[in-house]
Amino acid sequence: MGKNENLGQRVGNNVRKLRNEKHITQEKLSERSGVSINTIRNMEKGRWPSARTLELVCDALNVEAKILLSSEKDELYLREEVETKLKAAVDSILTDAKLNNNHFKSE
């Protein structure tokens, strides 16, 4: 968490960030989730939501709850992990392609 950021503030910041990235207004998020506009505003101000509200907002944003609960540090770690796995997969595909290409040349 940030220096003075509590978990409610983290969730609120992440909701706002995701909502803005997806070009969704608070009103539209309220409509999509079935959660009142005041609850959305309060979440973004750092008020901790109920479990049901969190679930509805996650569904409306098409994310898992762990995304709303994560910090930037978590995101950097996950990004590095994905990049490492992606590089390994690409290397494996290229190696397989090279082996298959050599196999066809010898026939």
Side-chain angles (χ1 to χ4, degrees):
M1 284 186 260
K3 203 171 198 171
N4 295 316
E5 182 185 49
N6 67 36
L7 195 53
Q9 290 168 324
R10 181 188 296 178
V11 169
N13 290 336
N14 287 338
V15 167
R16 183 181 310 105
K17 178 181 160 195
L18 286 166
R19 184 177 57 73
N20 288 330
E21 285 174 2
K22 295 172 185 270
H23 307 286
I24 301 171
T25 64
Q26 288 179 333
E27 291 79 9
K28 185 57 101 176
L29 181 57
S30 174
E31 289 173 22
R32 288 184 182 181
S33 65
V35 172
S36 77
I37 185 69
N38 286 333
T39 299
I40 299 294
R41 288 179 180 141
N42 286 333
M43 276 182 75
E44 290 190 7
K45 289 178 184 175
R47 182 169 294 162
W48 184 252
S50 70
R52 181 67 181 143
T53 297
L54 187 63
E55 180 183 5
L56 291 168
V57 170
C58 286
D59 287 346
L61 291 171
N62 197 29
V63 296
E64 294 181 33
K66 67 182 177 184
I67 299 300
L68 295 186
L69 297 168
S70 70
S71 67
E72 286 184 33
K73 185 177 178 183
D74 296 334
E75 289 176 26
L76 291 174
Y77 170 76
L78 291 172
R79 187 176 305 130
E80 288 174 5
E81 184 178 358
V82 167
E83 287 174 359
T84 299
K85 288 181 178 181
L86 183 59
K87 183 181 181 320
V90 168
D91 288 345
S92 175
I93 290 167
L94 292 175
T95 299
D96 288 349
K98 191 182 265 185
L99 290 173
N100 286 335
N101 193 23
N102 289 336
H103 173 73
F104 289 121
K105 284 182 181 178
S106 64
E107 289 182 353

